[in-house]
Amino acid sequence: MPTALPSLLSSAGTYAAGLATREGEAQAATGFASYAWLLVALPLLGTAILLLGARRTDRWGPYLATLLSWGGFVVGLILFFMMYAQAPGDRGWAVPVYEWVVAGSFTANLNLLVDPLSMAFVLLVTFVGSLIHVYSIGYMAQDTDRRRFFAYLNFFVASMLLLVLADNYLVLYMGWECVGLASWLLIGFWNMNPAYSTAANKSFFANRVGDFGLSVAMFIMFFHFGSLDFATVNAGVAGLQGINQGFMTAAGLMLLLAACGKSAQFPLQSWLGDAMAGPTPVSALIHAATMVTAGVYLIVRSGPVFEASPTAQLLVVIVGAITLLFGAIVGCAKDDIKKALAASTMSQIGYMMLAAGLGPIGYAFAIFHLITHGFFKAGLFLGSGSVMHGMNDQVDMRRFGGLSAVMKITWLTFGAGWLAIIGIPPFAGFWSKDKIIESAFVGEGWRPWVFGLAALIGAGITAFYMSRLFFMTFHGKRRWTDDVHPHEAPASMTVPMIVLALGSAFMGLILGPTGAFSTWLEPITGAVEEHHPVLPVPVIIAVTLVFVLVGGGWAWRRYLAEEVPTVAPTGNALTRAARVDLYQDQVNEALLMRPGIHLTRSLVFADGEGIDGAAGGLAAFIGGWAERMRKIQNGFVRSYALTMLAGIVAILGALWVIQ
């Protein structure tokens, strides 16, 4: 490590200099680009109208919220074509909104940065988000409070767009907190159920741990660079000669902590399964396609900081590798269709984190997989919602089976997402996830073998548990309860599913082989470096497909060729552990919650008996003494005369003793 450090720092400086130059030269927005603030303002306007309008907006409020979300997509699409028409070096606009914080020499303006990275997220959030708005019109049709639900959806879209469009960490932090609030509101939307309210609180508290990390990282960067602007921080990293490894490592670790909280990565991943308590469109929008990927965005946007700290960068890869396997193992044992998909989300984001931790070689692939995942995972969640819609809100896959015959559209669209996530060519996941596996095999020493094999094994397990989910739900013997009559969802739900299925099938084919997406991100992430994996690329691709086919084949044998019991068998020790998330809640309770409770009680006791006790004891002493002295002041002249006589006698006695 010591001998490699200078070259790593030189590489970091070069990369950061490129980013600093790129972001530092963002042109002042002119023409329609100066209206980029509409991306945030339109859905925020919908939130205000629906919440302030209250019951008066019940009838038309959901349609207005959907229209405003699509309006944001139209604005984003126009900006995309404007940016695409420019030379790569000119693709970036600084959009001032207003002067926010001014304190001495420090300023933090609420400005937006529209560049290729933020634009990729703008199109994902607005397009997928708008499709989910349309889906929700049918899904929430019978909910008496759906107006409030759509207000929260609009608020989330606005918050997520603010997060990815921010040009400094302070504005990013504001968006970061707002998406956390929106997540809490939507998970606990049906808060009349105490379990759902508890799940929302669990999500909120777990994210607060990550938010603390982002706060500390901001303090470190401000102390070291005197600013929180991306361009200033990146330029500061590039310009440091005797770079302080301690500062960079601390900042990188705190940013990683923030990413782990928001993106449900190890060890802060326990909240994501419980977050499925929210309505299914929430799971599709927030906990599959957008918010949970914010941590990946943070890592890539803060790339120069991690490039300057090999230790922090390595930990990002380690966290990603652990989480992708953790989520995959948990997904193998879940019978709840939404919780199985939640475990899958955790695992797939682990792939993205692993790629982001690899540095410039993996940044573009991490974002590429993030985009494709946003399509096929949102489609899978909406498909699960369609199944629940037709099965009286049941989620137990052991009570499904044979649904392909009665829910043709859901089966076909869900199948496209299934083939995409397991990486069958030419579906989207093959082009994005396999590039991450290939990149994981690049490097020296033990790292490519450990991380590459982890990614490879994860692909095989993913094929197993996703095939298990698909077969248990749509094929095999019908295991329905007597009170259900499965039926296809209405068009308002199936049309978004079809659109997302088309993206799952063809997006990777359009953007992958052509290298169009990597080229689009080059002004931000740099050109993808020429790399040479420790194994030939054709071998990696072939072995990956073998793992996928073996995993899918094993699932076919267990859950299609054999009859699926309606009651889960006991299973082995690993299966039982996976059913309870590998005892993550128990670990958190033992390591964090109970020690925290004991610490809190100890502090309360010390405060009550020590600090308050001392102050209270002193007050009681003074009060008691004053009470006794008060009796002397009784208003009788004879008592005062006697007191004066006693004083004179005491003085004379003292003088006599002295003489």
Side-chain angles (χ1 to χ4, degrees):
M1 176 69 75
T3 58
L5 188 56
S7 62
L8 285 170
L9 293 180
S10 174
S11 172
T14 302
Y15 175 66
L19 265 176
T21 301
R22 171 65 188 87
E23 294 183 351
E25 293 181 355
Q27 305 170 19
T30 58
F32 187 79
S34 62
Y35 292 96
W37 53 269
L38 286 172
L39 291 166
V40 179
L42 288 175
L44 198 60
L45 175 64
T47 300
I49 293 174
L50 267 63
L51 291 181
L52 296 178
R55 293 295 180 185
R56 291 185 295 273
T57 65
D58 280 351
R59 185 173 56 86
W60 48 267
Y63 301 100
L64 175 65
T66 304
L67 180 64
L68 290 172
S69 183
W70 279 114
F73 172 69
V74 172
V75 172
L77 195 62
I78 295 172
L79 292 174
F80 167 74
F81 284 118
M82 290 175 60
M83 184 176 290
Y84 185 77
Q86 294 185 323
D90 297 328
R91 289 173 181 169
W93 300 306
V95 184
V97 180
Y98 71 88
E99 194 175 72
W100 183 21
V101 178
V102 179
S105 60
F106 173 74
T107 60
N109 298 325
L110 205 166
N111 295 342
L112 305 181
L113 175 64
V114 185
D115 63 10
L117 178 59
S118 60
M119 182 55 64
F121 275 85
V122 165
L123 294 178
L124 173 68
V125 172
T126 55
F127 184 68
V128 175
S130 297
L131 287 175
I132 292 172
H133 274 73
V134 174
Y135 179 94
S136 300
I137 291 175
Y139 190 86
M140 302 292 290
Q142 304 304 317
D143 196 294
T144 58
D145 207 13
R146 64 177 186 152
R147 180 260 319 165
R148 181 167 58 89
F149 177 79
F150 277 85
Y152 293 164
L153 281 185
N154 265 194
F155 177 63
F156 170 78
V157 170
S159 302
M160 189 68 195
L161 290 172
L162 179 64
L163 189 159
V164 299
L165 287 168
D167 83 331
N168 63 74
Y169 284 99
L170 191 59
V171 177
L172 181 148
Y173 186 79
M174 181 166 65
W176 190 273
E177 292 298 301
C178 286
V179 295
L181 173 60
S183 174
W184 178 75
L185 291 170
L186 287 164
I187 294 171
F189 180 75
W190 290 320
N191 53 23
M192 67 290 294
N193 186 326
Y196 294 175
S197 181
T198 300
N201 291 335
K202 180 179 180 180
S203 167
F204 187 79
F205 293 142
N207 274 269
R208 294 307 298 165
V209 177
D211 297 348
F212 169 77
L214 182 54
S215 301
V216 174
M218 290 166 56
F219 291 142
I220 294 171
M221 288 185 283
F222 175 72
F223 176 79
H224 208 52
F225 302 112
S227 175
L228 294 174
D229 293 341
F230 296 146
T232 304
V233 172
N234 294 338
V237 173
L240 288 175
Q241 298 299 322
I243 192 166
N244 189 317
Q245 282 297 110
F247 274 114
M248 291 299 98
T249 299
L253 292 179
M254 290 298 102
L255 289 171
L256 175 59
L257 179 63
C260 287
K262 195 66 73 182
S263 294
Q265 296 294 283
F266 181 84
L268 299 178
Q269 81 287 351
S270 63
W271 64 270
L272 187 57
D274 296 86
M276 298 303 104
T280 300
V282 175
S283 305
L285 177 62
I286 298 183
H287 306 122
T290 54
M291 188 195 82
V292 289
T293 60
V296 180
Y297 170 81
L298 181 66
I299 299 295
V300 174
R301 181 63 83 181
S302 307
V305 175
F306 288 94
E307 286 290 303
S309 173
T311 300
Q313 194 175 45
L314 175 60
L315 283 175
V316 174
V317 183
I318 292 173
V319 166
I322 292 174
T323 310
L324 74 88
L325 292 174
F326 189 106
I329 293 171
V330 169
C332 292
K334 293 295 185 181
D335 293 330
D336 183 317
I337 187 171
K338 288 180 66 177
K339 291 192 175 183
L341 290 174
S344 168
T345 299
M346 185 194 311
S347 178
Q348 294 303 304
I349 297 175
Y351 275 101
M352 302 173 205
M353 292 290 285
L354 186 151
L358 294 174
I361 191 177
Y363 290 141
F365 299 144
I367 301 300
F368 185 28
H369 191 51
L370 186 153
I371 299 296
T372 61
H373 176 266
F375 274 78
F376 60 69
K377 184 53 65 65
L380 289 169
F381 265 112
L382 295 188
S384 71
S386 178
V387 170
M388 293 169 60
H389 180 271
M391 296 290 289
N392 288 352
D393 288 330
Q394 290 186 11
V395 294
D396 186 359
M397 294 186 294
R398 293 186 178 276
R399 281 300 188 178
F400 293 165
L403 292 178
S404 61
V406 292
M407 304 178 72
K408 292 287 187 184
I409 297 177
T410 302
W411 170 60
L412 290 172
T413 56
F414 201 100
W418 163 58
L419 294 173
I421 194 173
I422 67 176
I424 296 294
F427 290 84
F430 170 77
W431 302 104
S432 57
K433 187 170 69 175
D434 279 39
K435 278 294 184 182
I436 295 176
I437 297 174
E438 178 185 320
S439 300
F441 276 102
V442 175
E444 299 177 354
W446 58 270
R447 296 186 185 183
W449 297 106
V450 172
F451 299 138
L453 287 174
L456 196 60
I457 294 170
I461 302 176
T462 299
F464 171 77
Y465 72 78
M466 287 305 302
S467 299
R468 170 183 182 267
L469 185 155
F470 187 71
F471 296 148
M472 288 179 69
T473 301
F474 294 101
H475 295 278
K477 181 181 177 181
R478 296 179 176 182
R479 304 176 299 277
W480 310 342
T481 56
D482 296 334
D483 60 334
V484 299
H485 305 283
H487 56 277
E488 189 59 271
S492 62
M493 296 172 63
T494 56
V495 170
M497 291 159 54
I498 293 171
V499 174
L500 292 170
L502 292 174
S504 303
F506 300 112
M507 177 178 290
L509 190 62
I510 296 171
L511 300 179
T514 61
F517 192 79
S518 298
T519 303
W520 171 257
L521 289 181
E522 274 186 12
I524 303 301
T525 61
V528 177
E529 300 175 351
E530 183 179 355
H531 53 277
H532 303 284
V534 294
L535 293 174
V537 173
V539 172
I540 296 175
I541 295 174
V543 173
T544 302
L545 287 175
V546 168
F547 272 63
V548 168
L549 293 175
V550 169
W554 183 247
W556 174 86
R557 184 173 183 273
R558 288 285 310 276
Y559 299 99
L560 189 57
E562 298 178 7
E563 186 173 342
V564 177
T566 56
V567 178
T570 304
N572 56 35
L574 181 59
T575 300
R576 294 194 299 272
R579 285 174 183 158
V580 291
D581 301 328
L582 299 181
Y583 302 111
Q584 185 61 45
D585 284 337
Q586 290 82 349
V587 171
N588 288 342
E589 183 176 334
L591 296 182
L592 300 175
M593 192 192 81
R594 293 199 177 281
I597 291 175
H598 293 313
L599 176 61
T600 302
R601 288 174 177 171
S602 299
L603 292 175
V604 169
F605 177 81
D607 180 61
E609 301 298 324
I611 299 175
D612 287 352
L618 178 61
F621 171 76
I622 294 174
W625 178 256
E627 180 66 25
R628 294 182 181 89
M629 294 299 293
R630 186 179 66 81
K631 295 179 180 180
I632 300 176
Q633 305 295 328
N634 54 20
F636 294 111
V637 174
R638 61 179 181 270
S639 297
Y640 297 157
L642 181 61
T643 302
M644 294 171 63
L645 177 62
I648 293 172
V649 171
I651 293 172
L652 292 176
L655 292 175
W656 180 77
V657 170
I658 293 172
Q659 293 176 354

